[in-house]
Amino acid sequence: MAIQYQENGRIFTLHTDHSTYQMKADSYGNLLHLYYGDRTEGSMEYLLTFGDRGFSPNPYEAGDDRTYSLDALPQEYPYQGSGDFRSPALAVEQADKSYGLNLRYGGYEISKGKYSLPGLPSMYGEGLEDAESLEDAESLKIHLTDQVSGLAVTLLYGVFPGYDIITRAVCVKNEGNGPAALKRVYSACLDFLHGEYDLIQFYGRHAMERNFQRTALCHGAQVIGSRRGTSSHQYNPFLILAGRETTENHGPCYSMSFVYSGAFKAEAETDQYGQTRMSMGLQDEMFSYELKPGEIFFGPEVIMGYSGHGLGTLSRSIHKAMRRSLCRGKYKTIPRPVLINNWEATYFDFTGEKILDIARQAKELGVEMMVLDDGWFGKRDSDCSGLGDWQVNVKKLGGSLGSLVSRINGLGMKFGIWMEPEMVSEDSSLYREHPDWAFAVPGRKPVRGRSQLVLDFSRKEVADYIFDSICRVLDSAHIEYLKWDMNRSIADVYSAAGKMAGGDSPGSILYRYMLGLYDLLERLTKRYPDLLIEGCSGGGGRFDAGMLYYTPQIWCSDNTDAVDRIRIQYGTSFGYPISAVGSHVSAVPNHQTGRITPMKTRGVVAMAGSFGYELNLSAISEEDKNCVREQIDAYHKYWHLIHDGAYYRLTNPFEDREAAAWLFVREDKGEALLNTVALETHGNPLSLYIPLEGLDPEAMYRDEDTGTEYPGAGLMSAGIPIPPRTGEYQAFQVHLRRI
Ligand code: GLA
């Protein structure tokens, strides 16, 4: 059993293959966190120490015992009002406007399989998807109640032993007689009794997402989050707490991934006693969710990972877990078509014939799917109009969508299309008909973003209308792929549906917006089970575990420059599987940076993801065309390694200036693909030696291209030489097979 309950001591133990998580309902009924770390047996209660600590108060029932304080003891789910003055996970404004709350243990349930969350994405265990590789999960619910208000809190835990993953979520039910307003709901909290930690987080901006930042925790909180209604380019909802000495291959590290695509908050704080608290949940600024008697609220899931052996192992656990037990649909396990997208080739300036030309040329080089990006609908020749009017611009395409798609299918290519369903342009028929469907504060002019407004998906009739519009497009032609875009941050959150009057706040509307979006995506994936959906939000502005439940790949960044992409994809790889990373070869000079990189390098970088092209292939040289043919063959050959293999970061592009290197290794270690890109060029260049990882030390490996044979242990200790090179940004791929 992965989940054990020890009656004597009321101790809950959650075991994965290599980790143990433990908590205890103590004699006062408080739920204390005892341990999370390397797998161990037995009770860890001995870790608790008690002392009379000034200004750390004592619960009433502790009587004269001043050594018992929730301000000093590790909490499993801390809440405002308990006398713990660290950052709470739950804050509730009661009917009497107080923040009084006293959550006491009220029982538990253990079950086979993984819990699910109504209306919200979450990891699943066996039985929900029928792929063979699924994990056998177990679930635990712990009930806590507040006698006075009748508020019932249930903590949910899912244990995936083989992935070394534990999930958490929370559910709050109002079983009392008066209303309660939820002011903060975090889904997970981890208290560490001691230790010095670094916080690793992934900050960024549009076209430069998920930069790696590692800083030492100190007294005071480090807080990241998003107020933008989306998970955002600026801070990704993924966090790692690592020991000071932890590296890729050594030392303890803990991660939290939020399975949610809206506004969030995450914190890490070292307190007065040198203890550290890490937590993650919904953004609480402007948040207020009114819970009437009988109503129930679900906080989104947090996926927690632990590795005692460094960041690489942690990432590989997360990759496997998300790939197998979070992503869904037909393309979860089969190769996705190599695509060409016309965006950077044409922007808005295209006709049906031009698209066909791009498709013809691409087909000749081996590309398998044509994706028609923005500009095919309504009045949309720039980004100032047309969103919301999802009717084909027949004049621009020179005919119906159906006829264009049949001609593309006739070439032997699949067809995919771009949409931005959550948005509306003021210059559109939809907006003229339903101005109140867009977020805006009554009597005030809304903030525009990319000249567009956001549709209020918290309203069912709005989401339903858009659902029907999408279905009409998808039913009108043989469409096998949808790029689901979302190109602005959400401001002016105010629902004109009259909900705001009843105590709802912008924060609750944003939460309901996400439920509306998820519901729409769920309906879409049910109705079109074979449709491949790629998420996108100005590139990687909504690159999160929530979207991965509906869209197994996400356009990683609007920045397609190979050198910048090395950094962006490096950062992304910490928390997300390689199969999720939408990555394309584009033209040079690159449209975002002006940089020129070789075609081969662009291919090697884009291949570390779900591969495609985004340029006019007719405009490139014959030599580059041959390179494209080779790249597509290589991608097919290496697909299983890239998508299902174990991923190793061999360098850190934020520190190692000379070259970047990463490696894919088949699970049985029988095959590996090394990728390197030189980042600097110098006179009289040196050879570079790159030590590999994850190979079989006992085995010999052969380079498939040159026939050179290498000992596995030698490759890992002394490395493999990359010969002296001239020319900027040269890339090398070495394919090794065990002999
Ligand atoms: C966003 C996307 C791009 C492209 C444009 C179209 O910026 O990230 O890939 O689809 O929108 O307007």
Side-chain angles (χ1 to χ4, degrees), residues 1-3 13-21 36-41 135 158-167 304-307 317:
M1 283 292 277
I3 302 176
T13 306
L14 281 48
H15 285 304
T16 71
D17 287 358
H18 304 100
S19 73
T20 294
Y21 187 100
Y36 190 23
D38 285 332
R39 184 165 171 138
T40 183
E41 304 297 329
E135 268 287 313
V159 184
F160 292 83
Y163 301 146
D164 286 317
I165 288 289
I166 295 174
T167 64
M304 299 192 304
Y306 168 75
S307 160
S317 300

Side-chain angles (χ1 to χ4, degrees), residues 320 323-324 332-334 578-579 638-647 664-667:
K320 204 189 244 184
R323 232 168 40 219
R324 296 185 177 174
K332 172 176 147 172
T333 48
I334 64 167
I578 307 308
S579 58
Y638 302 141
W639 180 84
H640 63 288
L641 270 172
I642 295 169
H643 277 233
D644 293 330
Y647 179 78
F664 299 100
V665 182
R666 206 171 68 200
E667 219 172 349

Side-chain angles (χ1 to χ4, degrees), residues 493-506:
V493 183
Y494 191 97
S495 185
K499 288 184 200 153
M500 300 295 288
D504 265 327
S505 77

